[in-house]
Amino acid sequence: MTFVRTVARLTMMALAAAVFIGLITLYAHSFGPPSPRERERRNSEPQLKSLPTLLQQYLVFGAIALAGRKILRLRLTLR
Amino acid sequence: MKVPPPRLKFTFSLNLVLLLTVCALEQIPFTGAILHEWLGLTFAAMIVVHLLLSWTWIAAQSKRVFPIQSARALMNYLLNLSLFAAVTTSIYSGITISQEAIPSITKTTRPVLYHGSAWVSIHDQSSNFVIALAALHLALNWDWSVAAGRTIFRRLKAGAP
């Protein structure tokens, strides 16, 4: 029973994801052709010297969460 | 809803790892492209587990949100839906442009990526949205997170498993 329920939930999740994937694929097709001269290059190896930027990322994440907490605590109501 | 302690511990740990991973995924210079791709696939699997664990809440919210009862409930629902869309987009575009992980799993040739190509831009943009929306998701579930954290650490302090 649990297995069937889990499969049903995974199917619903996959269907919802498929809707968004369909929409984003349509959006991707609206892009013009990229410049074939400039290849995208990303470092394959981890670089520990970039640790401060990761810490900055956590700070940014925390700042957005705190700001969201302050704003969303206003408890807006439609009534 | 009362969640049994082992499940609460697992859910809280998973959410904490998701939080740490989502920020690490944004920093490719730190992780490197290869680790970034494998971490991204792990993140996708963790998101599926996260959604399965929250399914009761998701189902209840989906039934309750219409007719609109409060702006907060509607905002929470729309934010979670947007987060799901952003994560789906980010994972799918990441799979499309994968240079190491997906080609090694599917035994296919890696795609040639050009600067400013559609999927690269979509992946970069959706990842930024994921960070912002995940932070707001945390903000909205702050009370649950703090309460769960307190319960777990209190039990750990008392020597309970």
Side-chain angles (χ1 to χ4, degrees):
Chain A
M1 190 62 197
T2 313
F3 176 75
V4 174
R5 200 189 302 148
T6 307
V7 171
R9 287 172 181 182
L10 284 171
T11 309
M12 281 177 75
M13 219 185 285
L15 283 173
V19 171
F20 290 119
I21 288 169
L23 290 171
I24 208 68
T25 306
L26 285 175
Y27 175 62
H29 287 157
S30 71
F31 275 64
S35 164
R37 272 176 284 173
E38 291 178 69
R39 284 204 177 191
E40 182 81 9
R41 295 212 181 278
R42 285 175 175 172
N43 281 333
S44 4
E45 301 300 321
Q47 290 180 320
L48 272 178
K49 66 178 181 184
S50 301
L51 183 66
T53 56
L54 177 67
L55 298 177
Q56 274 175 13
Q57 186 69 58
Y58 287 120
L59 285 177
V60 169
F61 188 91
I64 299 171
L66 277 176
R69 175 107 183 104
K70 288 277 175 202
I71 295 162
L72 300 172
R73 271 183 94 168
L74 290 174
R75 292 185 180 272
L76 302 169
T77 173
L78 290 181
R79 289 174 198 172
Chain B
M1 188 178 69
K2 187 111 174 125
V3 181
R7 182 168 164 162
L8 182 73
K9 202 170 164 184
F10 178 75
T11 309
F12 184 78
S13 309
L14 178 74
N15 293 349
L16 193 64
V17 174
L18 275 170
L19 189 156
L20 295 172
T21 311
V22 80
C23 289
L25 279 170
E26 192 73 356
Q27 293 301 323
I28 304 177
F30 175 72
T31 57
I34 298 171
L35 185 61
H36 170 82
E37 290 187 15
W38 288 107
L39 203 59
L41 289 177
T42 313
F43 177 75
M46 288 193 293
I47 286 289
V48 172
V49 177
H50 175 77
L51 290 174
L52 284 175
L53 286 172
S54 316
W55 197 268
T56 315
W57 184 87
I58 295 167
Q61 286 297 309
S62 301
K63 283 177 194 158
R64 226 188 308 170
V65 80
F66 300 107
I68 299 165
Q69 290 180 347
S70 72
R72 187 184 167 86
L74 180 67
M75 194 196 289
N76 195 3
Y77 192 77
L78 290 178
L79 192 138
N80 287 332
L81 193 65
S82 308
L83 182 57
F84 179 74
V87 167
T88 304
T89 304
S90 183
I91 292 168
Y92 182 73
S93 55
I95 288 171
T96 309
I97 62 175
S98 171
Q99 297 286 292
E100 297 290 338
I102 297 300
S104 71
I105 292 169
T106 58
K107 309 280 179 226
T108 50
T109 52
R110 60 180 71 171
V112 179
L113 291 183
Y114 295 110
H115 186 70
S117 76
W119 288 114
V120 173
S121 302
I122 288 169
H123 187 64
D124 291 345
Q125 286 166 20
S126 59
S127 307
N128 292 335
F129 276 115
V130 168
I131 287 286
L133 292 169
L136 292 176
H137 180 69
L138 174 66
L140 275 167
N141 295 287
W142 187 262
D143 294 336
W144 181 91
S145 308
V146 171
R150 275 194 189 140
T151 307
I152 289 163
F153 287 114
R154 206 177 294 141
R155 285 180 65 84
L156 283 176
K157 228 174 162 181

